[in-house]
Amino acid sequence: MTIPELPQPPDSNSPPPGRVLAERQNSVPMLAQPREKPLFEEGSEEDTIDLRELWQVILKRRWTILVFTLIVVTAVVTATYLMTPIYRASLTLQIDREDIKIMQVGEVSPAEGGGWSSQDYYQTQYELLKSRSLALRVINQLGLADLPPPPPSPLAQFKQWLADWLPKADDAKPEPPSENARIEGVINGFLGDLTVEPVRNSRLVKLHYNSPDPKQAAAVLNAVAKSYINLNLERRFDATTYARKFLQERLQQVKLKLEESERGLVEFSRQEQIFTVGDKEGIVGQSLEATNVALGEAEKRRVAAEAVYRQMLATRGQGLSQVLDSKIIQDLKQSKAKLDAQYQDNLSIYKPAYPTMVQLRNQISQIDSMIEQEIGNIRAAITANYEAAKAEETLLHAKLDQFKQEVLALQDRSIQFNILRREVDTNRQLYDGLLQRFKEVGVAAGVGTNNISIVDEAKAPSFPYKPNLRLNALLALVLGLLGGIGLAFLFEHLDDTFRKPEDLEKLLGLPVLGMIPTTKRERGDERAIALIGHDDPRSAFAEAYRSVRTALQFSTVSGVPRLLTVTSAMPGEGKTTTSLSLAIQFAQAGKRTLLIEADLRKPSLHQALKLDNQTGLTNYLAGGEVHPADITRPTLVANLFAIPSGPLPPNPAELLSSGRMVELLTLAAEKFDQVVVDSPPLLGLADGLIIGNLCEGTLLTVEMGSTPRGYVQGAFKRLREARVPVLGALLTKLEAQLGYHSYYYYHTSYYGEAASSAKKLPFEGTKAEA
């Protein structure tokens, strides 16, 4: 393998520095421009939740979640072991409704189970079980106020030690509490440990008491139940005693009032001479009622008679219904009809003047007279009937008015009498009711019934109720996982780096040409990552750079720019590894490739290729007697040549912007198929911008999950302001847990498992000829 012969530096008659490169750049077709998008505009995220992204965040931050969960579980379990065990005793009571009432004047409350009254009753009983009077009675009965406090738990001792160790504002010792305050504290602690738990849809109530001593817990609950039953009986007895006394006093008062009202009624009757007012009032009322009924009947008869009378006046002749219904008139008409028939029969024999015919006519005339007379009688009867009905109605009206006046007069005289009589009746009813209730209360007082009973007595518990180690550990595990996941998402939200290619594309508007996975060195292998990654041509590392090489071929209309520079925003993002890897890929593709180490600040390319760096790029740029062929070195990779950086200069920017650098790149572009320049980082330095303007295309490398977005934005902004042609971006150091597990293992799953005995790249190259 020989180094291509490079021409000597041009003399004074040569074109000005940079003209040759400028002409070459003008002849290269236009590069692929970034996407039409505003610079540094954050892409609007859709208002949807991607579960895969959430799962990727959890996988990425799994150690944060696990460590946080372990800390929480450890702290909770430790605190649980340091707590004092608390035992809970339980007791079951049955409480029935009590229906005894002192005054039963009608139903004041609904029956048992009737809505809110039943609920109020049981709620009252629950509050009585939690009353301070019952608590004080049990405390005095068992002497709980005089018992020594239980020994503090290790956790309480630690808190007390911490409180004593911390400085206090006031060093004065607190005064001991008074006796009342101490008793109040004991009562509050007692009520805090007592729990009342009603059983739904039943009359049962469960009582619980927590105490460090299991025997004490059971004894306290049994004492609470017995004291509650005794208090209930005492309240019932006190209520009965009070009721009897109250009823006795009230009976005496009502009796005196009844006697007084009766004497007043008798005195008033004697003064007003009202002896048979009640009887007379009944007779007058009955007469008034009977007269009123008779008047109604008379009005009906008068209306009916008046209707017939009016019909009679409006009807002439024999059209009245009474006339038509009259038996006498019907008989007369039948007789007349016979005579008329006989007359007509005889008329054919005799003449009208014949005596027999005259006699028949006289008989017919007589019957007509009788009919007219009977009609007149009927009309006279109708008129008489109508007049009688009117007279009867008038008489009954007068009688009704008379009875009304008598009733009104009687009512006027009986107003005060009725008032006194009602007062007597009211007092008598009240007296009878009180007397009956007094006898009932006396009978109930002798019956010692109780509506509260103990179903299950309290027994000393065998196992502590709390702390519950299993429950606390489970809750700590759940809370730890939730807190760890929340902390992971918080870290992810605060993470200002690029986690996926879409973030970089949206932020910069540049296409992502590839993603490079992380490759680890084997123990004892000190070679460069680029060389290790290309040991196996089928590895994911090598396949990723082959994909980048292919993407570069489509980045411009004319293919891969011959002068290509690789840079980054910050050191350590893999630009040198990328430069070497791309150069190896181009060389393996059959291109004569030159790799220039232009990072004059912190060069490392010559170390990766194990090249002599005593003379290099800086010697040529400084203007010494060094020619390009003198600094071009062959490598162990076929078709790959490199120019090391040489000694570090004090002024790298001036050397890179000199005309000799332009001449070197021009000559390299003419002699080699591909030139790759390893450029310094962009932030804080002008070297990368200078090299970018001298090359035809720039590739920006970004370390995934490490480089802040602001740095990348600043670096890209400097490139755009310096009008550097940027081909695209390259994401390096891709971890599988960042969400691209399928991409990371694409090569292995497609080609199968790589052979364990894969051969390394042949580095048996021949030394270059001078």
Side-chain angles (χ1 to χ4, degrees):
M1 182 173 58
T2 59
I3 301 176
E5 184 178 355
L6 297 177
Q8 297 298 326
D11 54 12
S12 59
N13 294 327
S14 300
R19 180 179 299 176
V20 176
L21 183 59
E23 293 176 353
R24 180 172 181 82
Q25 290 179 345
N26 292 334
S27 63
V28 176
M30 182 178 62
L31 299 176
Q33 298 297 324
R35 300 178 181 178
E36 296 294 335
K37 190 174 182 180
L39 186 61
F40 306 142
E41 179 182 359
E42 292 284 356
S44 59
E45 296 290 339
E46 296 181 357
D47 297 334
T48 57
I49 298 177
D50 191 349
L51 297 180
R52 290 178 298 179
E53 291 186 2
L54 300 181
W55 179 247
Q56 292 164 10
V57 172
I58 293 176
L59 290 180
K60 177 182 177 182
R61 306 284 182 177
R62 60 183 180 274
W63 289 112
T64 301
I65 299 174
L66 293 177
V67 171
F68 184 83
T69 303
L70 182 61
I71 292 175
V72 172
V73 171
T74 303
V76 170
V77 171
T78 303
T80 300
Y81 276 111
L82 294 178
M83 291 181 181
T84 300
I86 302 298
Y87 295 86
R88 165 169 282 194
S90 299
L91 181 143
T92 304
L93 288 178
Q94 179 178 349
I95 303 177
D96 297 323
R97 282 290 310 273
E98 57 178 359
D99 296 325
I100 297 178
K101 301 179 179 61
I102 295 177
M103 297 290 294
Q104 183 149 0
V105 184
E107 283 294 331
V108 178
S109 59
E112 180 178 349
W116 289 104
S117 178
S118 177
Q119 181 179 0
D120 294 343
Y121 170 76
Y122 284 106
Q123 187 63 36
T124 302
Q125 299 305 313
Y126 305 151
E127 295 299 327
L128 288 176
L129 285 170
K130 295 281 291 184
S131 62
R132 302 180 69 84
S133 59
L134 179 61
L136 182 60
R137 184 168 184 169
V138 174
I139 290 173
N140 294 333
Q141 180 181 351
L142 299 180
L144 299 180
D146 300 328
L147 294 178
S153 63
L155 184 61
Q157 294 177 359
F158 175 75
K159 292 181 179 179
Q160 183 63 34
W161 173 83
L162 188 63
D164 296 339
W165 181 78
L166 292 176
K168 299 181 180 179
D170 189 6
D171 294 336
K173 295 183 179 180
E175 297 181 359
S178 61
E179 183 65 18
N180 293 334
R182 188 179 67 84
I183 295 298
E184 286 296 323
V186 174
I187 293 176
N188 293 333
F190 180 89
L191 294 178
D193 294 331
L194 180 63
T195 303
V196 178
E197 181 185 355
V199 179
R200 295 187 60 183
N201 301 325
S202 69
R203 299 178 181 180
L204 301 179
V205 182
K206 289 187 177 181
L207 304 181
H208 308 286
Y209 188 79
N210 301 332
S211 174
D213 187 358
K215 296 182 179 180
Q216 181 183 0
V220 167
L221 266 189
N222 292 326
V224 168
K226 293 178 181 178
S227 298
Y228 173 64
I229 294 174
N230 293 334
L231 283 177
N232 182 63
L233 292 175
E234 292 175 5
R235 283 195 301 271
R236 292 165 63 93
F237 180 78
D238 293 342
T240 304
T241 304
Y242 174 77
R244 286 178 56 83
K245 183 178 179 181
F246 169 78
L247 291 175
Q248 188 175 5
E249 295 176 356
R250 187 60 178 162
L251 276 172
Q252 188 67 25
Q253 296 175 1
V254 173
K255 182 179 179 181
L256 295 176
K257 191 173 182 180
L258 176 61
E259 294 175 355
E260 182 180 354
S261 60
E262 288 179 344
R263 284 195 296 267
L265 177 62
V266 172
E267 184 67 23
F268 180 80
S269 301
R270 187 176 298 170
Q271 291 178 359
E272 296 294 331
Q273 297 297 318
I274 302 176
F275 302 104
T276 58
V277 174
D279 297 338
K280 188 175 182 179
E281 182 180 4
I283 294 174
V284 173
Q286 292 176 2
S287 299
L288 178 63
E289 183 179 358
T291 303
N292 191 25
V293 173
L295 178 60
E297 296 296 331
E299 287 180 349
K300 292 180 181 179
R301 290 192 295 272
R302 191 265 307 166
V303 171
E306 184 177 1
V308 174
Y309 177 75
R310 293 183 181 278
Q311 184 181 7
M312 179 196 71
L313 294 178
T315 305
R316 301 298 179 183
Q318 301 178 5
L320 287 174
S321 61
Q322 290 83 354
V323 173
L324 298 176
D325 296 337
S326 176
K327 181 67 175 175
I328 297 173
I329 294 178
Q330 291 178 1
D331 293 340
L332 291 174
K333 285 183 177 182
Q334 290 179 0
S335 299
K336 180 182 178 182
K338 291 178 180 180
L339 292 176
D340 285 337
Q342 185 178 0
Y343 180 81
Q344 294 295 331
D345 292 340
N346 292 334
L347 189 61
S348 62
I349 301 174
Y350 304 105
K351 292 182 179 181
Y354 188 74
T356 302
M357 299 299 289
V358 172
Q359 184 181 1
L360 288 175
R361 285 198 302 271
N362 291 335
Q363 289 179 355
I364 292 173
S365 299
Q366 185 180 2
I367 290 175
D368 288 337
S369 300
M370 293 176 65
I371 290 175
E372 291 296 333
Q373 183 180 359
E374 186 64 25
I375 291 174
N377 292 336
I378 292 175
R379 286 179 176 273
I382 291 174
T383 302
N385 189 21
Y386 172 62
E387 294 296 335
K390 285 177 62 177
E392 183 184 8
E393 182 182 6
T394 303
L395 181 61
L396 288 176
H397 269 295
K399 196 67 176 178
L400 183 64
D401 292 338
Q402 179 183 354
F403 284 141
K404 286 182 180 180
Q405 294 298 326
E406 291 181 3
V407 170
L408 292 174
L410 183 60
Q411 289 180 350
D412 292 340
R413 296 177 58 198
S414 302
I415 292 176
Q416 186 63 29
F417 180 82
N418 291 332
I419 293 175
L420 295 175
R421 188 175 61 181
R422 283 194 299 270
E423 183 179 359
V424 171
D425 294 339
T426 302
N427 291 334
R428 183 177 290 110
Q429 292 176 1
L430 182 59
Y431 179 79
D432 293 341
L434 289 175
L435 184 60
Q436 180 68 23
R437 191 59 183 161
F438 179 77
K439 293 179 180 180
E440 291 177 357
V441 170
V443 173
V447 180
T449 59
N450 186 22
N451 63 324
I452 302 173
S453 59
I454 299 177
V455 178
D456 293 325
E457 291 187 352
K459 302 295 182 181
S462 303
F463 301 98
Y465 169 71
K466 61 179 182 180
N468 190 335
L469 179 61
R470 181 178 300 177
L471 178 60
N472 291 350
L474 182 61
L475 292 177
L477 179 62
V478 174
L479 294 178
L481 289 175
L482 293 178
I485 292 174
L487 191 63
F489 282 109
L490 176 62
F491 288 164
E492 191 71 12
H493 179 71
L494 297 178
D495 188 2
D496 192 28
T497 61
F498 295 98
R499 298 184 291 273
K500 51 186 178 179
E502 291 80 2
D503 297 341
L504 184 60
E505 292 178 349
K506 292 178 181 179
L507 186 65
L508 304 182
L510 285 177
V512 176
L513 301 180
M515 294 178 291
I516 310 303
T518 300
T519 299
K520 297 181 180 180
R521 290 189 178 94
E522 297 181 0
R523 182 174 299 180
D525 194 349
E526 298 181 355
R527 293 178 300 160
I529 295 295
L531 300 178
I532 297 175
H534 291 283
D535 284 352
D536 183 6
R538 295 188 299 174
S539 65
F541 187 84
E543 183 64 27
Y545 276 108
R546 273 194 293 273
S547 299
V548 175
R549 181 190 66 189
T550 304
L552 287 173
Q553 292 176 356
F554 296 99
S555 61
T556 65
V557 295
S558 60
V560 183
R562 180 163 293 189
L563 289 175
L564 177 65
T565 179
V566 181
T567 186
S568 63
M570 299 172 56
E573 295 190 65
K575 64 175 184 59
T576 300
T577 301
T578 299
S579 301
L580 179 55
S581 298
L582 287 177
I584 292 174
Q585 291 298 327
F586 287 129
Q588 289 180 349
K591 290 186 177 183
R592 293 161 53 82
T593 305
L594 176 62
L595 180 59
I596 301 177
E597 186 179 19
D599 187 358
L600 304 183
R601 307 280 181 171
K602 192 177 180 181
S604 60
L605 189 60
H606 63 278
Q607 298 176 358
L609 294 175
K610 300 186 181 304
L611 299 177
D612 184 14
N613 199 33
Q614 293 183 358
T615 59
L617 180 61
T618 55
N619 300 97
Y620 173 76
L621 297 180
E625 296 297 331
V626 179
H627 301 289
D630 299 335
I631 59 176
T632 304
R633 314 284 173 79
T635 65
L636 300 179
V637 181
N639 295 328
L640 178 60
F641 299 87
I643 297 179
S645 62
L648 298 182
N651 52 350
E654 288 78 0
L655 293 179
L656 294 175
S657 60
S658 64
R660 294 180 68 87
M661 184 64 183
V662 177
E663 296 170 1
L664 177 62
L665 293 177
T666 303
L667 295 176
E670 293 176 354
K671 296 298 182 180
F672 290 91
D673 299 327
Q674 185 67 48
V675 179
V676 180
V677 181
D678 181 20
S679 175
L682 293 171
L683 293 182
L685 301 175
D687 303 5
L689 300 177
I690 296 173
I691 298 174
N693 275 300
L694 297 179
C695 294
E696 299 172 358
T698 300
L699 181 62
L700 180 63
T701 61
V702 178
E703 183 178 353
M704 196 171 185
S706 177
T707 306
R709 299 190 181 191
Y711 291 0
V712 179
Q713 287 179 341
F716 184 64
K717 183 178 180 181
R718 296 190 65 188
L719 291 173
R720 292 291 297 272
E721 290 175 351
R723 303 183 65 83
V724 175
V726 182
L727 302 177
L730 181 66
L731 289 175
T732 61
K733 301 182 181 180
L734 172 65
E735 297 287 348
Q737 65 268 24
L738 294 183
Y740 297 95
H741 188 274
S742 59
Y743 173 83
Y744 187 85
Y745 291 103
Y746 162 75
H747 185 266
T748 301
S749 62
Y750 186 78
Y751 289 104
E753 293 293 335
S756 59
S757 60
K759 297 181 180 180
K760 297 183 179 181
L761 291 177
F763 292 136
E764 297 84 1
T766 57
K767 294 184 178 180
E769 298 179 359

